[in-house]
């Protein structure tokens, strides 16, 4: 079963950070919601950071502003996450340049669409 860290997961069902959690769950993924300000999202306990997630993660999906996302790239590399999805609104030239500098496999697209769902 593939695993995904939804970075910027939210309890607010209208936010894409929540829609992504629900979409991945429907598609059978193991979901790790990442948000230091939430206790749980869709009934799943959240993690304050990627470092708190036990084991490996196949994919990280960013739903945070680029200024926040860029600060998380080193921890994504340290966790050896295979794919980093930079969703619309989470990108910036600086974030992409830093991800490339770190050698991260970065995809700029909607990860919800990628798994066959409609956001």
């Amino acid at each position: 079963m593939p695993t995904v860290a939804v970075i910027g997961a939210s309890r607010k069902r209208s936010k894409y950070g929540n829609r992504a959690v629900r979409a991945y769950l429907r598609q059978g993924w193991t979901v790790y919601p990442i948000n230091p300000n939430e206790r749980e999202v869709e009934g799943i306990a959240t993690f304050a950071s990627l470092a708190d997630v036990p084991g490996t993660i196949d994919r990280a999906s960013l739903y945070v502003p680029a200024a926040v996302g860029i600060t998380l790239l080193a921890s994504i590399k340290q966790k050896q996450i295979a794919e980093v999805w930079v969703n619309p609104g989470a990108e910036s030239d600086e974030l992409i340049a830093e991800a490339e500098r770190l050698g991260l496999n970065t995809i700029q697209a909607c990860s919800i669409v990628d798994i066959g769902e409609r956001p």
Side-chain angles (χ1 to χ4, degrees):
M1 189 176 299
T3 58
V4 61
V6 177
I7 300 171
S10 174
R11 288 181 36 209
K12 295 180 184 174
R13 291 178 65 86
S14 62
K15 296 192 117 197
Y16 286 101
N18 180 283
R19 292 177 185 190
V21 169
R22 289 183 281 139
Y24 278 104
L25 288 171
R26 281 191 300 269
Q27 294 297 320
W29 289 63
T30 297
V31 178
Y32 299 111
I34 310 293
N35 187 327
N37 302 311
E38 300 279 5
R39 296 183 70 108
E40 68 175 41
V41 173
E42 295 298 315
I44 304 169
T46 60
F47 293 89
S49 72
L50 288 168
D52 297 330
V53 177
T56 61
I57 301 170
D58 300 311
R59 175 184 284 193
S61 188
L62 298 179
Y63 289 96
V64 293
V68 173
I70 200 167
T71 68
L72 304 173
L73 296 176
S75 62
I76 290 170
K77 180 173 179 67
Q78 184 175 16
K79 194 73 174 170
Q80 299 179 2
I81 298 173
E83 296 178 343
V84 180
W85 285 73
V86 182
N87 292 281
E91 76 277 14
S92 74
D93 292 342
E94 294 80 15
L95 183 143
I96 299 304
E98 179 63 7
E100 289 175 358
R101 187 188 74 74
L102 292 170
L104 298 173
N105 179 17
T106 307
I107 300 103
Q108 293 184 72
C110 179
S111 67
I112 297 172
V113 172
D114 177 66
I115 61 169
E117 295 266 337
R118 294 187 69 204

